[in-house]
Amino acid sequence: MSEILNVVLSDQPAPAQWGKSKISFSGEGACIHLSEGEPARIIQSAARKLTGQGIRDVALSGEGWTRALQWRFACGFGEALEPGTIAWASDAESLDAQRDAALWLKSLTHASPEALSPEVLADEVAERISAAAPEHVTTRRIVGDALLAAGWIGVHAVGRGSERPPVLLELDYNPTGDANAPVSVALVGKGITFDSGGYSIKPSAGMVTMKCDMGGAATVSAALKLAIKQGLNKRVKLYLCCAENLISGHAYKLGDILHYKNGTSVEIVNTDAEGRLVLADGLMAANEAGAERIIDAATLTGAAMTAVGSDYNALFTPCDSAATDALAAAAAVDEGLWRLPLAPLHADKCPSVFADTANSTTQKGGGAGGASNAAGFLSRFAGTPPKGWIHIDLAGAYVGGNGLNHEGATALGMLTVAKLLQDA
């Protein structure tokens, strides 16, 4: 007898003896009942319940399994260290590619901070994406004090407190055969491999999950890998801003002034608002490349999660057409994305007497509107690319476990970014 559980769908309620359950079992396997409620959420919740019963190998069988519903089952199935196996009802090749990218994203995010130093993160991404298209990928790493010589003072400042040096990875995917081809999209990812908060130190409970603070880097890297697998034929540059935010005699401090290469001076009033400092370098690098569109992703603010919860990521852009594109991409792949305010006034929400701006405010979480204020800070460095700048604050990137997701990385946002790459 096969140990793989067959899972089918039904638009009828469960038999009376199963009460209000959305899952029933028979000798043939399990049936998910979609008679009431939102099918996608019912299916994802059912996948969690099957996982909770110790089931690790399933086959999705019968009618009704659209590509989108199969993916929602995959989002709820398995555990962080035991993803299990899924035999798809259809679209196996494309769904395998999506799951492979998502599981890679999760493996990066779940890696211990001791194992995943900034250099290891940069090397792993360079190796995996290069392997996906070896003839079309070139990479360059700027490490440690070489960042200062190159003018990338944000990544250097945040990472200099660690014995393991910070890194800016530049990866160029160019399938056109033209060395002078325009850069269609530049991706920028926050790669803080561990965030203690620096001298604005986090409490222990808030620090225990901070291996996930490179979730932005994992998201854009996995999205690019997936898009390449899907046949991406446009030139894309990827910038990962990788550092450990630790405390030492070398660490950056409150009151320091950083002078960025675009002329902006920044007073440090909170060393735990480090993500925006490294992203500033990545955004400027993307503009130097002449990218037609810039997309950054980051586990940037707790305020974003307060605003939209873990079922959505937060979208910020000053460009209405870019917002339309991003929301349409998210809808097409059934991912939650919600636009929050970003106006010119938000660039001035972190005032400083001693510099052009501070990196945050002294209030916890950056004060009221903290996610918009962080985006406003980034707007000072994002430039005005022709097709707009899109900032995604990954509110739903990492959860404590719930009825829809296992504890840890969710991969929410990966499909949206991959779709934006394909549509660029």
Side-chain angles (χ1 to χ4, degrees):
M1 179 179 293
S2 172
E3 295 182 356
I4 298 176
L5 181 75
N6 283 308
V7 183
V8 300
L9 300 179
S10 172
D11 58 4
Q12 300 299 311
Q17 62 266 32
W18 292 95
K20 295 182 180 181
S21 174
K22 296 297 184 182
I23 309 176
S24 65
F25 294 88
S26 67
E28 289 74 37
C31 180
I32 301 175
H33 298 273
L34 307 178
S35 56
E36 295 180 5
E38 181 186 345
R41 292 182 70 85
I42 291 172
I43 287 171
Q44 189 168 343
S45 175
R48 290 303 309 139
K49 291 173 182 176
L50 292 173
T51 301
Q53 293 179 328
I55 296 166
R56 294 294 182 270
D57 302 287
V58 298
L60 308 183
S61 306
E63 298 179 354
W65 284 109
T66 65
R67 189 176 184 280
L69 292 181
Q70 291 181 85
W71 183 248
R72 286 301 288 262
F73 184 94
C75 290
F77 188 65
E79 299 289 11
L81 298 181
E82 288 186 285
T85 63
I86 302 173
W88 310 104
S90 62
D91 302 291
E93 184 176 356
S94 63
L95 286 167
D96 277 340
Q98 282 186 194
R99 195 158 195 246
D100 177 68
L103 292 179
W104 179 47
L105 184 162
K106 292 181 179 186
S107 72
L108 286 173
T109 308
H110 295 156
S112 75
E114 181 62 24
L116 197 75
S117 68
E119 286 186 287
V120 170
L121 173 58
D123 289 347
E124 165 78 1
V125 168
E127 180 180 337
R128 284 293 191 99
I129 297 181
S130 295
E135 69 278 20
H136 299 316
V137 174
T138 58
T139 62
R140 181 170 73 110
R141 299 189 326 157
I142 306 174
V143 183
D145 288 344
L147 290 161
L148 289 177
W152 305 125
I153 55 92
V155 178
H156 182 270
V158 172
R160 75 188 194 204
S162 172
E163 293 183 358
R164 303 193 290 186
V167 183
L168 180 66
L169 171 69
E170 177 186 336
L171 183 148
D172 186 355
Y173 170 71
N174 186 2
T176 68
D178 178 5
N180 297 314
V183 178
S184 178
V185 180
L187 300 173
V188 181
K190 174 186 172 184
I192 303 299
T193 55
F194 186 73
D195 181 19
S196 71
Y199 280 105
S200 305
I201 192 167
K202 294 177 182 289
S204 180
M207 202 188 302
V208 69
T209 61
M210 281 299 103
K211 63 183 180 182
C212 83
D213 216 15
M214 37 60 65
T219 297
V220 293
S221 299
L224 177 56
K225 181 176 181 290
L226 175 60
I228 292 171
K229 181 70 172 178
Q230 294 170 333
L232 181 66
N233 60 4
K234 306 174 184 73
R235 188 178 187 183
V236 173
K237 284 199 171 186
L238 171 71
Y239 298 92
L240 298 189
C241 310
C242 307
E244 286 184 315
N245 186 21
L246 300 181
I247 296 172
S248 74
H250 302 290
Y252 79 127
K253 301 170 289 296
L254 286 82
D256 284 350
I257 307 291
L258 303 184
H259 295 274
Y260 282 87
K261 66 191 304 184
N262 71 347
T264 302
S265 59
V266 178
E267 181 188 6
I268 305 304
V269 301
N270 184 348
T271 60
D272 196 22
E274 84 298 330
R276 64 199 72 181
L277 298 175
V278 302
L279 287 175
D281 283 340
L283 291 171
M284 287 188 293
N287 275 286
E288 288 184 3
E292 296 173 354
R293 168 167 285 171
I294 299 173
I295 303 170
D296 79 75
T299 49
L300 201 64
T301 67
M305 181 172 285
T306 300
V308 301
S310 60
D311 295 309
Y312 288 81
N313 288 324
L315 166 67
F316 299 89
T317 177
C319 176
D320 289 342
S321 61
T324 297
D325 290 347
L327 292 170
V333 298
D334 192 26
E335 288 191 329
L337 185 66
W338 197 265
R339 190 181 186 184
L340 293 181
L342 175 58
L345 61 90
H346 288 109
D348 298 317
K349 287 292 188 177
C350 300
S352 169
V353 174
F354 303 104
D356 296 325
T357 182
N359 71 321
S360 185
T361 67
T362 56
Q363 290 92 350
K364 179 177 175 59
S372 291
N373 299 343
F377 176 91
L378 293 178
S379 72
R380 292 173 173 269
F381 305 91
T384 55
K387 293 186 179 180
W389 159 58
I390 294 169
H391 164 53
I392 302 175
D393 197 329
L394 295 168
Y398 198 95
V399 299
N402 53 35
L404 295 175
N405 301 281
H406 63 65
E407 184 168 355
T410 66
L412 183 66
M414 179 192 75
L415 296 185
T416 298
V417 176
K419 177 66 171 168
L420 281 166
L421 292 176
Q422 295 291 3
D423 293 346

